[in-house]
Amino acid sequence: MTDAFEEEAEPTVSIGEYLKDVEEQELEADLVLGGDEGKECTYNNGYMKRQAIFSCLTCTPDGNAGVCTACSLSCHDGHEIVELWTKRNFRCDCGNSKFGEFFCKLLASKDVENPQNLYNHNFRGLYCTCGRPYPDPDAEEQAEMIQCCVCEDWFHEEHLGLESSDMVPRDEEGEPIYEEFICQGCASVCSFLMLYPPTVFASVPQKTATSSLKEKEVAENVPPLSSEETNNASSSQDTLMTNASKEELLLGKGIHEENDGKTTIMNHCNGVAGSSEKCVLGLNLSEAVAKLEKSKPMFLCKNWREVLCKCQNCVDFYNQKGVGYLLDPEDTIAEYEAMAKQKREQLEQQQSSEFLSKLGHIEKMEILTGIADIKNELHSYLASFDPSKAVTSADIHQVFENLAKKRKRME
């Protein structure tokens, strides 16, 4: 009975867990913002390859405009803001004709509109083919969403057009093993990818151990083929290979070739757009694509864009389809985040250097010595602690008391 009336203990967290959580949140914010400190409007940078974009439903309830990070903070503070993560080839709309009498506080002089900007229902806070908001107020549990690298919309796994969400390529721990995703709607535009080797696609999840065991049992119960049956099977296979389509032969031989014992992909192309090298596909893409079956959602493996042919005919075809950006390595989210990490590291080094440069030699030494003392004291004090044990405020006070006593002894 006594336990029933005891107050619930306050949730505790170890100092290591707390610092790790803070670091992860800061890093996530930096990755989304691309290292943008949000101090200047990005309008003068033109249509940026990729940047963080926000929609203000207070100013543009129709969701037909987007603003940069700085404008979301300075011009739309307190408004109903939709975070859109990143958008490609976008120019800040803040204060243009879509905002009526509202002017941008950071840069008032702007064109009436940005005709190259593209908008979808994400700008109204809606996502997926179901057109639901995220987070969804009516959902008991927020379902994970996947972004299409072409239309940049987000989709629930159950709305991808797959027979089962188990068909999403994941490892044993449930983590994605694909780098980029193309939704079913955009797959028709990118159906030409089906002409490339299957290695550009992330592998389909393996069957369960139970299924494999059943297949093994069936195989063990099947009697071996006689020599005559084996020859017939081989002959049938040769006939199938003879009747293979031109596309299949190209994928099997024209693209994959042995070079000094190593398999290379598309070694006919030197990777320069407009080069005189022969197209690695050797096809009229428009005609070949027309013969392909209806495309399904695509899960692409790491570095799949590097495999794309860059001959002039293929480049023209990509541009005609409106997906020429697939050849730009800076278009990918992975590259965007890598650049953001680099900017963050450079900024931290710069801030540290600027701070120390303003101090005299004595002040610098005192600060560096103080940091070293705190670090050493924390290490020695916490060395006997269980790493999973929560560190209390009393423990921290004890550390600084120990430091104060050491300094007195030194004095």
Side-chain angles (χ1 to χ4, degrees):
M1 291 294 292
T2 304
D3 294 340
F5 292 98
E6 288 183 354
E7 294 184 1
E8 294 184 4
E10 294 184 6
T12 58
V13 62
S14 68
I15 190 170
E17 292 172 336
Y18 173 75
L19 292 176
K20 182 180 179 182
D21 182 59
V22 171
E23 178 71 15
E24 289 178 348
Q25 290 183 27
E26 290 180 350
L27 178 59
E28 182 179 356
D30 283 343
L31 294 183
V32 173
L33 299 179
D36 185 358
E37 298 181 59
K39 296 180 179 179
E40 297 180 359
C41 175
T42 62
Y43 177 83
N44 284 335
N45 296 335
Y47 293 92
M48 297 179 64
K49 290 184 178 181
R50 186 167 293 281
Q51 66 171 316
I53 292 296
F54 304 80
S55 174
C56 179
L57 297 183
T58 301
C59 297
T60 54
D62 293 335
N64 61 342
V67 302
C68 67
T69 301
C71 288
S72 71
L73 297 173
S74 299
C75 305
H76 303 273
D77 182 32
H79 294 188
E80 184 181 356
I81 297 293
V82 177
E83 298 180 12
L84 300 175
W85 201 25
T86 69
K87 294 293 181 183
R88 71 164 56 89
N89 194 38
F90 201 94
R91 195 178 195 184
C92 181
D93 284 320
C94 182
N96 66 15
S97 62
K98 296 181 179 181
F99 289 79
E101 298 180 356
F102 179 87
F103 289 93
C104 177
K105 298 177 182 179
L106 301 179
L107 191 63
S109 179
K110 295 182 178 180
D111 290 342
V112 177
E113 287 188 13
N114 298 311
Q116 294 183 36
N117 283 355
L118 297 179
Y119 311 91
N120 59 13
H121 63 170
N122 294 169
F123 287 77
R124 291 183 283 121
L126 305 177
Y127 307 89
C128 190
T129 55
C130 62
R132 296 295 302 168
Y134 186 89
D136 191 340
D138 296 333
E140 296 181 1
E141 184 177 351
Q142 300 303 324
E144 182 178 353
M145 303 188 80
I146 302 175
Q147 188 184 37
C148 172
C149 68
V150 177
C151 67
E152 299 187 298
D153 195 2
W154 294 80
F155 299 86
H156 299 103
E157 286 189 5
E158 60 267 29
H159 300 152
L160 295 180
L162 302 174
E163 295 179 4
S164 169
S165 59
D166 293 334
M167 297 178 68
V168 177
R170 300 182 185 279
D171 59 21
E172 295 179 354
E173 297 179 354
E175 294 298 321
I177 57 175
Y178 59 92
E179 184 170 78
E180 293 186 288
F181 164 74
I182 297 179
C183 70
Q184 190 165 17
C186 295
S188 59
V189 177
C190 298
S191 59
F192 61 88
L193 292 175
M194 300 303 296
L195 300 174
Y196 284 87
T199 50
V200 302
F201 301 100
S203 58
V204 179
Q206 295 183 356
K207 298 180 181 179
T208 61
T210 305
S211 300
S212 300
L213 182 60
K214 289 182 179 180
E215 290 178 357
K216 182 178 180 182
E217 291 175 351
V218 171
E220 290 176 348
N221 293 328
V222 175
L225 293 175
S226 65
S227 59
E228 182 179 354
E229 290 173 325
T230 302
N231 291 334
N232 290 337
S234 177
S235 176
S236 298
Q237 181 66 24
D238 290 342
T239 302
L240 288 173
M241 289 300 294
T242 302
N243 294 331
S245 65
K246 181 179 180 182
E247 290 89 340
E248 292 170 330
L249 290 174
L250 282 166
L251 294 181
K253 295 178 64 179
I255 296 180
H256 288 287
E257 293 192 4
E258 295 298 323
N259 183 16
D260 296 332
K262 298 181 180 180
T263 301
T264 58
I265 298 179
M266 299 199 304
N267 52 358
H268 293 296
C269 185
N270 65 1
V272 180
S275 68
S276 59
E277 294 290 334
K278 182 179 179 181
C279 175
V280 297
L281 293 177
L283 297 169
N284 181 315
L285 284 184
S286 298
E287 295 179 359
V289 166
K291 298 177 182 178
L292 294 174
E293 296 181 358
K294 184 178 179 181
S295 301
K296 297 180 180 180
M298 301 176 182
F299 295 91
L300 291 310
C301 68
K302 187 176 181 179
N303 299 327
W304 69 275
R305 297 194 189 202
E306 297 179 6
V307 179
L308 297 180
C309 178
K310 298 176 179 64
C311 75
Q312 191 60 55
N313 288 336
C314 285
V315 171
D316 292 341
F317 180 82
Y318 305 148
N319 291 331
Q320 181 185 359
K321 290 290 184 179
V323 293
Y325 51 79
L326 293 178
L327 297 179
D328 185 356
E330 294 184 6
D331 175 76
T332 66
I333 295 295
E335 181 64 20
Y336 176 82
E337 292 183 345
M339 293 174 64
K341 287 181 180 179
Q342 184 178 2
K343 289 180 181 179
R344 183 186 185 191
E345 293 173 357
Q346 292 175 346
L347 180 61
E348 289 177 347
Q349 293 176 358
Q350 179 182 353
Q351 290 176 338
S352 178
S353 177
E354 289 178 352
F355 174 72
L356 292 175
S357 65
K358 297 177 181 178
L359 302 175
H361 177 71
I362 296 177
E363 288 86 353
K364 286 181 183 178
M365 295 305 299
E366 288 180 345
I367 289 176
L368 294 175
T369 302
I371 293 174
D373 289 342
I374 293 176
K375 181 179 178 181
N376 293 334
E377 183 62 30
L378 279 171
H379 274 293
S380 60
Y381 185 81
L382 300 177
S384 60
F385 270 60
D386 182 345
S388 62
K389 182 180 178 182
V391 177
T392 64
S393 59
D395 295 322
I396 302 300
H397 284 303
Q398 186 62 50
V399 170
F400 284 96
E401 285 179 10
N402 293 345
L403 279 171
K405 290 178 181 178
K406 287 182 179 180
R407 287 175 181 172
K408 286 183 179 180
R409 288 198 299 267
M410 292 177 64
E411 293 174 357

